[in-house]
Amino acid sequence: KASKIPVIEPSDSQECKEFTRLAYDFSERFDTPVILRLTTRVAHSQSAVEMCDRVTKEHIPYKKNPQKFVMMPGNAIRRHPQVEERLIKIAEYAETSELNKVEMNDTEIGVITSGVSYQYAKEALGTKASYLKLGIVNPLPVNIVKDFVSKCKKVYVIEELDDIIETHCIKLGVKVKGKELFSLLGEFSQQTVRAALTNEKADFD
C-alpha cells in the first residue's frame, strides 16, 4: 500500500499462471509496476494447471526518461499527482475486474477474503457461506465491498497477517469482523476458519 502500486494475489497454481499473465497486461494498461503476492502455502502448493497458447507481443523499446523513472525529490513532486490519479483509475477498474469474484450462496455468513485464505474458507464452510474473493488487494474496490456486505447477515474478513482488507472495510463504514477472531500471526487452516466462524471442530485430510 505504501508503494502505491497495484497488488494482485492468486489462491492456487492455476491462478498463479493466469494472474502472472494478467499482471503484464495490467502493467501495460496502467503504466505501472505490479506486485504478484504469493504466500508460502500457495508457493508450495501443487494443483492442475490448464495451459494456453503463447502470445507474442510487439517489442516496445526502452526510452530513457529520468523525469519518470528517477525519483529524486524534484521529479517525485511532479510525478505524485499522476500516481494518485493512476490509483483512482485502478480502483475503478477493480470494481468490475475478473480478478475479483462474488459467489453468492447462503447469505447468513459472508466472507471477504483473498489468496489461500479463500481456499481455507471454501473448504471449511462450502455453500454455507457467500464469498467475495479479492484478486486485487491494492487498491481495494469500494462499491463491490459495500454491495456484498449489504446482502449478508454477518460478514467476516479472513486474511493472514496484517488487517489490510478489514481496515479498508471499516474505513468504508461497513460492519465486519476480522482480527478479533483471527490472529495477526502465522498461517491459518480450514480448522482455524471453521472454529472461529462456527465454533465447530472438523477434521480435514
Side-chain angles (χ1 to χ4, degrees):
K1 185 175 181 179
S3 65
K4 295 185 180 290
I5 61 176
V7 180
I8 60 178
E9 183 174 10
S11 65
D12 59 23
S13 301
Q14 177 68 34
E15 286 190 353
C16 283
K17 181 186 79 71
E18 288 300 316
F19 282 26
T20 299
R21 178 180 61 82
L22 291 169
Y24 283 103
D25 294 336
F26 205 128
S27 178
E28 292 300 315
R29 177 173 180 172
F30 293 102
D31 191 23
T32 180
V34 177
I35 293 176
L36 184 74
R37 179 178 186 263
L38 295 183
T39 57
T40 301
R41 201 55 48 202
V42 172
H44 289 188
S45 67
Q46 295 183 9
S47 59
V49 174
E50 183 178 341
M51 303 304 290
C52 59
D53 294 333
R54 182 181 180 88
V55 177
T56 302
K57 301 207 172 181
E58 180 183 357
H59 174 68
I60 302 174
Y62 171 76
K63 292 183 180 180
K64 190 173 182 179
N65 185 353
Q67 288 74 29
K68 179 179 179 181
F69 298 117
V70 182
M71 287 298 97
M72 300 295 286
N75 292 338
I77 290 173
R78 288 188 288 270
R79 286 290 298 176
H80 192 184
Q82 297 176 50
V83 171
E84 296 297 341
E85 182 181 349
R86 181 178 68 197
L87 282 173
I88 292 172
K89 291 179 180 178
I90 295 172
E92 291 173 351
Y93 168 78
E95 298 289 353
T96 57
S97 170
E98 61 185 291
L99 298 176
N100 295 328
K101 297 180 180 179
V102 175
E103 300 176 20
M104 298 306 299
N105 301 302
D106 191 327
T107 56
E108 185 72 18
I109 295 176
V111 173
I112 303 176
T113 187
S114 66
V116 72
S117 295
Y118 165 75
Q119 303 291 359
Y120 297 151
K122 284 280 286 187
E123 291 181 29
L125 303 172
T127 57
K128 294 179 180 179
S130 295
Y131 306 91
L132 170 55
K133 177 182 175 296
L134 297 169
I136 300 176
V137 292
N138 188 63
L140 287 160
V142 173
N143 295 328
I144 192 174
V145 171
K146 289 183 175 181
D147 181 67
F148 179 76
V149 172
S150 70
K151 295 175 180 177
C152 299
K153 186 173 181 180
K154 296 180 181 178
V155 179
Y156 301 90
V157 175
I158 305 176
E159 56 184 327
E160 291 182 339
L161 304 180
D162 293 339
D163 52 347
I164 303 298
I165 299 172
E166 181 183 0
T167 299
H168 175 71
C169 292
I170 294 171
K171 185 178 178 181
L172 296 179
V174 298
K175 188 176 180 180
V176 299
K177 289 186 177 182
K179 290 306 178 184
E180 62 187 274
L181 300 173
F182 296 96
S183 173
L184 286 163
L185 307 176
E187 294 181 305
F188 297 163
S189 67
Q190 299 93 330
Q191 292 92 333
T192 302
V193 174
R194 174 67 70 84
L197 269 59
T198 68
N199 294 319
E200 297 178 13
K201 292 185 178 180
D203 294 324
F204 294 89
D205 294 333

